[in-house]
Amino acid sequence: HRLQSHDLSHFTKYCSLETKEECKKARGQRYLCDKIHFRRIIKPHTDKSLGDCSYLDTCRHMKSCKYVHYEVDLDQNELEELISNPPNPPDIQTQLLPPQWINCDIRKLDISLIGKFDVIMADPPWDIHMK
């Protein structure tokens, strides 16, 4: 629990069921949970069998990308509530260090050389999206 935040008020909670339809179906009710849901963006060129685009709603090629994309599904009341009561920003009292990176083949990287970090992020191989 060392890395767990004690103040979770600044996090927006997303429903793990993703869409409002799935949430209602799983709960067996006409009412949704109080978390944020998403709407699938299905265009004529979308091939649902390919699954979700890893870029979700930030894909730069949405006009031609065949993967399924998403957008936040807010009705007018939910939008007004979010605007009038935005999540609190985190109270950051530590100095942030600049990002650091290593450009390498992760399969050949000796992890013991890296040291101790709070976050290590690996970018996926680009050939996944080059089809």
Side-chain angles (χ1 to χ4, degrees), residues 23-41:
C23 182
K24 285 180 187 177
K25 188 177 5 173
R27 293 167 53 92
Q29 301 174 6
R30 358 179 272 212
Y31 302 105
L32 299 168
C33 69
D34 61 350
K35 298 175 184 170
I36 293 189
H37 298 85
F38 294 91
R39 178 184 309 121
R40 287 183 184 92
I41 302 171

Side-chain angles (χ1 to χ4, degrees), residues 12 33-36 73-88:
T12 302
C33 69
D34 61 350
K35 298 175 184 170
I36 293 189
D73 188 359
L74 296 175
D75 63 29
Q76 192 61 34
N77 292 337
E78 292 169 322
L79 184 58
E80 289 171 6
E81 174 67 23
L82 195 58
I83 291 170
S84 63
N85 296 311
N88 296 325

